[in-house]
Amino acid sequence: MVQQVMVQQVGAVTSEDGAGRAKGRSSLMRSPQFSSFVILIVLLVVFALADGNFLSPLNISNMMAFLPELGIIALGMTLLLTAGEFDLSVGAVFALAPVVVMLLVQNAGVDIGVALLAGLLLCIAIGAINGVIVTKIGISSFLVTLSMLLIVRGAALYITQGFPLKSWDQPGFFVTLLAGSFNIGAFRFYTSLWWFIGLSLLAVYVLRYAKLGNWISAIGSNRNAAVARGVPADAVKIWLFILTSLLAGLAGMISAFRISAASPVAGTGYELEVIAMVVVGGTALTGGRGTILGTIVGALMLRAIRNGIVLVGVPGLAYNIFVGVIILAMLILHALLQKNATRS
Amino acid sequence: MMQEVLRLQNLQKSFGSVRALKNASLTLKEGEVVALLGDNGAGKSTLIKAISGVFPIDRGDIYVRGEKVSIRSTREAMDLGIETIHQDTSLAPDLSIARNLFLGREPVNLKWLGVFAPLDLAKLRDAASALLKRVGISKKLDADALVSTLSGGERQSIAISRAMQFAAKVIILDEPTNNLGVEETHGVLRFVKEMRAAGHSVLLITHNIHHVFEVADRIIVMRRGEIVAEQTVADTDLLTVESLITGADLSALMKRAQ
Ligand SMILES: Nc1ncnc2c1ncn2[C@@H]1O[C@H](COP(=O)(O)OP(=O)(O)O)[C@@H](O)[C@H]1O
Ligand SMILES: [Mg+2]
């Protein structure tokens, strides 16, 4: 009798607290990008109170000039991390791409448009090599892209003999496209901000609303499960490596045009700065959970921190202590939120 | 006469020097539950991975409804109506139930956009809710809930309902009751019976012989990559099956002991 009742109840194969858990599931307030956003606001308020110049048009313009360059790379890195991989070669690609473009223009007399295209093709090739080795040979992306960092940075240094190149500074279509500037009131913005906004919208769309985004999250969350459902995991990853490399190269060109110099050591350390932006925004380093909005918040946060602590008067050599502490605090916060949200 | 749905002929598969599958042949008929038994390492998972397109076979033929097919990817297996719930992998924990149910077969708008096509979120959610209701796993599970918040049994139910939703001809379950509680296990067995009632063919891999006698029509035993025995459940008993699996003649031993 007792047994019979039990078997009938089991029919439902579910537990009673199903509804309760569904309700308590991570709402907007507890989502990582939201907590990052709150902390960003707090930081901005603290810096603004500590130094009146922080929110001045000049300073905001300055921050907005830098922001897109790292931010654009961070968008690609977010998608890649969500699929469960990352790329340490972005900082080196950031340097090599404009260096190659400038060498082609200055030494080989190649048309600037053609040179830019060649630079982007080189980025595609680098990304494809990363992706193919990681997926087809099965070496971890840490090792593959670390080696690629050395190769690419070494190549940039070798072909320039270590000297920075003067960048293309004649006005024209491509300069305007990549590094043109415009004023809104007292603010001065670069076209790179439009690139960042446009690419951000695209990335939000892809990750949240497109079929591809579903695949990317599934691959990072449980690759074998995704493959078992017919998702072409390797191809998706290879394309994401290509995208990340391409965005790193684009960012490098934007930067080189803005400051009219292409340096073989540009972007040193950017790979870690970009990964920090992404994880501070709430994307999981282990894959499966990615948020573009979080990355935008993370990019703003790291930019604001670097800028703010200078204004506040923290000694230059102590910058990284603060940056590191704030990143660590953010990660601990995310981990605690995640622990509350998931039962295991 | 029940129609043959799946026939495997002399399948072979090696991993380096390990011959995981040597000459495996079997048939599966419409509305039939076949239990595939065997010790760890016997080659059961390898056999069903070959059928579901996880990796290509080295040699042998596969027939679906009498027609010879080649299955080179998981997608092709699914398109042939073969749905598999793998032992180790079935769901993506960071995705919602609804997104998992339609993973790889997402309903989209603007189909011409290919992989960039926007998900039809309303349809996704409605279909998922309807499915959860239809398979009886409660009106209580929210289609938007993340799979990481579900229990093992709930996850297994989701994986099984996903296999059912595409009206697959053949459903393969690789040790579906592993790590499940008593109640959840009964739920899974109930699903198997429901699937048979709905006309699906089921290939069930399990270590629990009691389950076999509860739901299966036929038993196939594998040992070291080969199919060593095939019996209808009605014509056999627990001891015989156990001795077939281990290779030792248990019933003879028992008789001697008596
Ligand atoms: N991907 C693989 N690579 C190498 N050997 C494998 C692989 N998959 C299975 N094997 C080997 O094939 C044999 C059969 O394994 P498997 O089919 O998983 O057995 P079962 O599911 O019956 O326990 C084992 O010896 C196992 O070690
Ligand atoms: Mg197995």
Side-chain angles (χ1 to χ4, degrees):
Chain A
M1 176 63 190
V2 173
Q3 255 183 348
Q4 210 178 353
V5 171
M6 210 178 83
V7 171
Q8 271 169 4
Q9 281 176 345
V10 209
V13 207
T14 185
S15 47
E16 288 304 313
D17 52 348
R21 265 183 288 123
K23 228 179 221 165
R25 143 186 73 92
S26 55
S27 57
L28 175 72
M29 300 285 282
R30 281 167 58 191
S31 68
Q33 62 267 47
F34 186 79
S35 52
S36 303
F37 182 71
V38 171
I39 302 230
L40 172 65
I41 300 296
V42 170
L43 277 172
L44 292 180
V45 169
V46 168
F47 285 134
L49 290 177
D51 190 301
N53 286 328
F54 183 71
L55 291 183
S56 69
L58 179 66
N59 195 49
I60 288 182
S61 301
N62 262 335
M63 279 197 274
M64 288 300 140
F66 281 117
L67 176 76
E69 289 161 19
L70 281 163
I72 286 172
I73 309 177
L75 296 176
M77 192 72 87
T78 304
L79 297 182
L80 193 56
L81 272 173
T82 307
E85 305 290 347
F86 55 84
D87 185 350
L88 295 176
S89 67
V90 289
V93 171
F94 181 93
L96 182 67
V99 154
V100 165
V101 172
M102 288 313 145
L103 281 179
L104 284 175
V105 170
Q106 288 164 16
N107 293 12
V110 175
D111 174 73
I112 179 77
V114 176
L116 284 170
L117 189 65
L120 293 178
L121 286 175
L122 175 68
C123 298
I124 290 177
I126 293 170
I129 293 171
N130 282 336
V132 168
I133 297 179
V134 168
T135 57
K136 300 299 180 192
I137 304 184
I139 303 174
S140 83
S141 54
F142 177 84
L143 298 172
V144 173
T145 62
L146 181 65
S147 314
M148 190 55 85
L149 180 166
L150 297 171
I151 295 169
V152 171
R153 179 69 70 190
L157 285 165
Y158 183 71
I159 59 176
T160 57
Q161 293 299 306
F163 292 107
L165 302 164
K166 210 168 104 44
S167 164
W168 187 261
D169 52 1
Q170 302 164 25
F173 174 69
F174 290 109
V175 175
T176 313
L177 185 67
L178 292 174
S181 60
F182 56 95
N183 292 313
I184 298 178
F187 297 93
R188 181 181 178 79
F189 294 122
Y190 286 89
T191 41
S192 56
L193 195 58
W194 292 125
W195 281 93
F196 183 46
I197 293 170
L199 290 167
S200 295
L201 291 175
L202 264 179
V204 167
Y205 167 74
V206 166
L207 192 54
R208 278 174 78 153
Y209 301 107
K211 181 159 131 179
L212 180 60
N214 206 38
W215 290 3
I216 291 172
S217 305
I219 292 167
S221 185
N222 184 347
R223 182 188 172 277
N224 290 338
V227 170
R229 301 311 297 167
V231 173
D234 289 357
V236 170
K237 280 188 182 179
I238 292 171
W239 280 109
L240 290 179
F241 272 109
I242 290 175
L243 175 77
T244 306
S245 234
L246 200 55
L247 291 179
L250 176 69
M253 292 170 188
I254 287 174
S255 174
F257 276 15
R258 183 173 58 80
I259 62 179
S260 294
S263 163
V265 293
T268 302
Y270 275 19
E271 55 281 345
L272 296 182
E273 183 95 4
V274 164
I275 291 173
M277 288 173 172
V278 175
V279 294
V280 156
T283 294
L285 194 57
T286 45
R289 277 172 290 127
T291 152
I292 296 292
L293 291 180
T295 293
I296 295 169
V297 170
L300 281 165
M301 194 183 296
L302 263 91
R303 197 67 259 151
I305 293 170
R306 289 217 177 271
N307 179 284
I309 53 183
V310 180
L311 289 183
V312 174
V314 171
L317 294 175
Y319 289 170
N320 280 338
I321 301 174
F322 282 78
V323 178
V325 166
I326 294 174
I327 292 176
L328 206 52
M330 288 300 312
L331 295 181
I332 290 171
L333 184 71
H334 290 325
L336 294 178
L337 287 175
Q338 179 63 24
K339 223 175 188 173
N340 279 340
T342 312
R343 107 179 176 191
S344 58
Chain B
M1 183 64 212
M2 282 195 295
Q3 214 190 329
E4 164 194 308
V5 178
L6 179 72
R7 180 152 53 96
L8 313 178
Q9 235 165 17
N10 304 325
L11 294 199
Q12 298 183 20
K13 176 76 191 177
S14 299
F15 297 104
S17 60
V18 181
R19 293 185 64 197
L21 223 49
K22 327 168 190 163
N23 265 339
S25 305
L26 66 84
T27 56
L28 193 60
K29 289 186 219 125
E30 204 170 70
E32 184 185 39
V33 176
V34 170
L36 188 58
L37 303 175
D39 250 342
N40 280 327
K44 308 181 296 294
S45 294
T46 305
L47 180 71
I48 63 107
K49 281 179 182 166
I51 311 170
S52 53
V54 174
F55 42 58
I57 47 174
D58 298 338
R59 200 162 299 160
D61 298 315
I62 302 176
Y63 298 83
V64 174
R65 287 197 188 270
E67 251 179 72
K68 191 171 165 187
V69 295
S70 65
I71 299 175
R72 282 158 308 199
S73 69
T74 49
R75 163 71 56 187
E76 286 182 348
M78 282 157 54
D79 290 344
L80 286 168
I82 301 170
E83 287 282 335
T84 308
I85 297 154
H86 292 283
Q87 182 172 12
D88 33 9
T89 67
S90 53
L91 302 179
D94 298 302
L95 267 56
S96 69
I97 293 176
R99 280 176 177 249
N100 262 289
L101 284 172
F102 290 92
L103 181 56
R105 282 177 169 169
E106 296 84 352
V108 294
N109 296 316
L110 310 176
K111 207 166 180 168
W112 54 273
L113 281 171
V115 296
F116 296 103
L119 297 173
D120 186 342
L121 292 174
K123 191 170 169 191
L124 187 74
R125 199 169 307 125
D126 291 349
S129 302
L131 184 74
L132 289 179
K133 248 178 221 152
R134 183 166 72 84
V135 296
I137 46 171
S138 127
K139 299 104 218 173
K140 288 173 202 149
L141 281 185
D142 180 353
D144 285 331
L146 295 185
V147 163
S148 60
T149 64
L150 304 181
S151 74
E154 287 167 340
R155 292 183 199 199
Q156 202 59 262
S157 316
I158 301 292
I160 292 173
S161 30
R162 181 171 65 186
M164 287 177 79
Q165 82 187 304
F166 295 108
K169 295 182 190 113
V170 179
I171 296 172
I172 302 172
L173 299 151
D174 194 351
E175 305 198 19
T177 55
N178 257 14
N179 309 317
L180 293 194
V182 179
E183 303 192 0
E184 295 170 338
T185 299
H186 276 104
V188 170
L189 295 179
R190 189 180 64 100
F191 272 130
V192 172
K193 291 176 190 165
E194 273 182 14
M195 285 188 272
R196 172 173 51 195
H200 301 301
S201 310
V202 181
L203 191 57
L204 172 70
I205 299 179
T206 177
H207 280 298
N208 190 319
I209 302 184
H210 297 282
H211 294 168
V212 172
F213 280 86
E214 196 180 329
V215 299
D217 302 308
R218 212 148 46 91
I219 292 173
I220 291 175
V221 182
M222 286 188 77
R223 213 184 302 144
R224 285 187 232 102
E226 281 174 304
I227 288 171
V228 293
E230 193 173 337
Q231 302 190 315
T232 50
V233 168
D235 300 338
T236 189
D237 58 67
L238 246 147
L239 268 184
T240 316
V241 174
E242 261 174 11
S243 57
L244 284 170
I245 293 170
T246 55
D249 191 350
L250 282 185
S251 50
L253 281 176
M254 293 292 281
K255 263 179 212 142
R256 218 177 304 156
Q258 283 164 4

